Amino acid sequence: MDTQKLKVLQLGKFYPVLGGVEKVAYDLMVGLSERHVQCDMLCAAVNGKGREIVVNDYAHLICCHTWAKACATMISPSMVSTLRNICRRYDIIHVHHPDPMASMALFLSGYRGRVILHWHSDIQKQRLLLNFYRPLQQWLLRRADKVVGTTPVYLAESPCLGHVQDKAVCMPIGVEPMHPRPEAVDAIRRRYAGKKIVFSLGRLVAYKGYSHLISAAKYLGDDFVVLIGGSGALHETLQREIVEQGLQGRVELLGRVSDADLPGYYGACDVFCLSSVQKTEAFGIVQIEAMSCGKPVVATQIPQSGVAWVNANGVSGLNVPPADAAKLAEAIKSITADADAYRRYSAGALERYRNLFTKERMIEKCLSIYENG
């Protein structure tokens, strides 16, 4: 198959990019279009206003008007009408799950071409929504020509995917490497002079397990500082926990870290920590961003999640039981205690990134899936 003659539509989730699912969809659009594959993206607009953005000669981003956000889903009826109008232009529709709005749009579109279902995660939090959505989800699994998972663990262990293993294929997420500027790294290290820096990044929500990472600082000692980047509903709660445990100066909530500043924190840290405690964390893109800088990772062994597969235990870092502050601290100290061991973890992290998690590898795998039906 001549992939340069293909016309592909990435379907879902929303724009501007705020999280992992929409980042993957956007990166696939851009990466495929850079290979001269016609690849557009249809999604809901975060701010409500519909518009079309020309990304390059081979990619258009079509944002549909959004009425509201409910149960973590953008309510955008215009996605239905828009997809009905344009779906016949495309040889493949690559739909990203979970996104009930995108699934509904595909169901009502009348589209008869090939469908690739990208299964980023099961629906975990919105149980009430799932009761209504399950018939549509089952239709989508039947309708898909291929079901793409981000890790072999999630594909094999998701209770939703047991009956579609014959058409399941793994395509790990890939990202461009971080390129920290030396002056930015030096500025952060000077700010925390004499400290080993543990960095974490994500929304301040319950499943990220930040309460346990904060508590882990009690076991680390004064020669460590824990920096948590991100904003969210638990900011005040977590700040109160820091104060109540007397950890001011040893744990710092950075707030939202800008795209310009983020590489500096990856470059300055000694260890990256992903303290998530629930299967909602299916992959953890932040892990591979840290690995691209050669940073060892401490992550958690969440049942049925791919997180602990991404961070290979003993190679790119260490994995510990979720919700265990003492074990988090023990792993962090183990990685940083010995210079030779640290160098091995650092080299292992960078090698694992290069072997599995580059954006280039993700695009190559995606093209292979499109070519092989």
Side-chain angles (χ1 to χ4, degrees):
M1 180 185 296
D2 185 353
T3 55
Q4 290 192 357
K5 293 182 179 179
L6 275 178
K7 293 185 178 180
V8 181
L9 180 69
Q10 304 293 325
L11 181 57
K13 202 171 183 184
F14 46 77
Y15 185 84
V17 171
L18 298 174
V21 176
E22 55 271 25
K23 174 175 170 54
V24 172
Y26 185 87
D27 284 353
L28 286 173
M29 174 187 67
V30 173
L32 290 164
S33 67
E34 289 172 347
R35 301 288 191 93
H36 292 179
V37 176
Q38 185 68 48
C39 186
D40 300 330
M41 178 174 166
L42 176 67
C43 61
V46 169
N47 63 4
K49 297 180 180 178
R51 63 195 187 280
E52 184 167 337
I53 301 168
V54 178
V55 179
N56 57 46
D57 290 343
Y58 293 87
H60 286 207
L61 178 59
I62 307 162
C63 295
C64 295
H65 175 73
T66 300
W67 284 5
K69 183 178 181 181
C71 299
T73 299
M74 295 295 182
I75 309 303
S76 176
S78 65
M79 281 187 70
V80 176
S81 57
T82 301
L83 187 59
R84 283 187 66 88
N85 290 334
I86 69 173
C87 66
R88 288 164 186 81
R89 302 177 191 173
Y90 300 101
D91 304 296
I92 296 172
I93 290 181
H94 187 148
V95 59
H96 294 265
H97 178 280
D99 188 345
M101 194 70 243
S103 302
M104 179 63 71
L106 182 62
F107 179 73
L108 297 174
S109 68
Y111 178 71
R112 297 183 180 277
R114 290 171 58 200
V115 171
I116 305 297
L117 172 56
H118 205 136
W119 195 273
H120 293 269
S121 72
D122 305 339
I123 292 178
Q124 294 292 311
K125 291 173 62 179
Q126 306 296 339
R127 296 294 182 179
L128 180 61
L129 174 65
L130 182 58
N131 290 333
F132 294 99
Y133 176 57
R134 188 174 283 108
L136 184 58
Q137 179 175 276
Q138 291 302 109
W139 170 84
L140 188 59
L141 285 163
R142 292 192 303 271
R143 175 67 178 83
D145 295 277
K146 289 288 183 182
V147 178
V148 175
T150 57
T151 67
V153 174
Y154 213 102
L155 273 177
E157 298 188 12
S158 168
C160 302
L161 303 181
H163 63 295
V164 294
Q165 293 297 306
D166 59 323
K167 57 182 180 181
V169 60
C170 181
M171 183 175 77
I173 295 170
V175 297
E176 294 282 7
M178 288 283 164
H179 294 292
R181 292 181 294 108
E183 59 271 25
V185 172
D186 290 344
I188 294 169
R189 288 195 175 276
R190 285 196 302 272
R191 194 182 314 152
Y192 303 101
K195 305 281 190 178
K196 295 173 183 176
I197 299 173
V198 179
F199 181 49
S200 191
L201 180 72
R203 290 184 299 127
L204 304 185
V205 293
Y207 80 83
K208 292 292 185 178
Y210 286 131
S211 289
H212 307 291
L213 179 55
I214 289 170
S215 295
K218 294 185 297 185
Y219 303 96
L220 290 175
D222 292 335
D223 55 337
F224 284 87
V225 62
V226 176
L227 305 179
I228 301 173
S231 59
L234 293 183
H235 185 276
E236 291 185 8
T237 300
L238 295 174
Q239 186 61 52
R240 187 163 54 249
E241 290 178 10
I242 292 169
V243 173
E244 288 174 352
Q245 296 181 60
L247 295 172
Q248 303 97 312
R250 292 166 62 181
V251 182
E252 184 176 334
L253 301 181
L254 301 173
R256 183 185 178 277
V257 180
S258 70
D259 290 344
D261 291 340
L262 183 56
Y265 282 97
Y266 279 122
C269 75
D270 295 282
V271 175
F272 184 85
C273 185
L274 186 69
S275 56
S276 299
V277 294
Q278 297 174 15
K279 190 186 171 187
T280 307
E281 191 76 81
F283 184 93
I285 292 177
V286 287
Q287 296 186 97
I288 61 176
E289 291 177 341
M291 288 179 196
S292 78
C293 297
K295 301 300 177 174
V297 175
V298 171
T300 48
Q301 301 159 330
I302 304 168
Q304 298 183 346
S305 168
V307 165
W309 176 85
V310 174
N311 181 40
N313 191 62
V315 178
S316 55
L318 294 172
N319 296 316
V320 302
D324 192 326
K327 290 293 186 182
L328 283 173
E330 183 181 322
I332 291 166
K333 289 190 289 187
S334 176
I335 287 173
T336 56
D338 177 80
D340 289 338
Y342 184 85
R343 281 191 290 270
R344 288 196 298 273
Y345 283 120
S346 179
L350 184 58
E351 183 178 12
R352 188 161 177 80
Y353 165 75
R354 289 173 173 168
N355 288 342
L356 289 172
F357 302 124
T358 65
K359 181 180 172 182
E360 187 72 13
R361 284 186 175 273
M362 180 176 71
I363 299 302
E364 289 285 352
K365 182 64 176 181
C366 190
L367 283 171
S368 174
I369 291 168
Y370 290 169
E371 288 171 352
N372 296 321

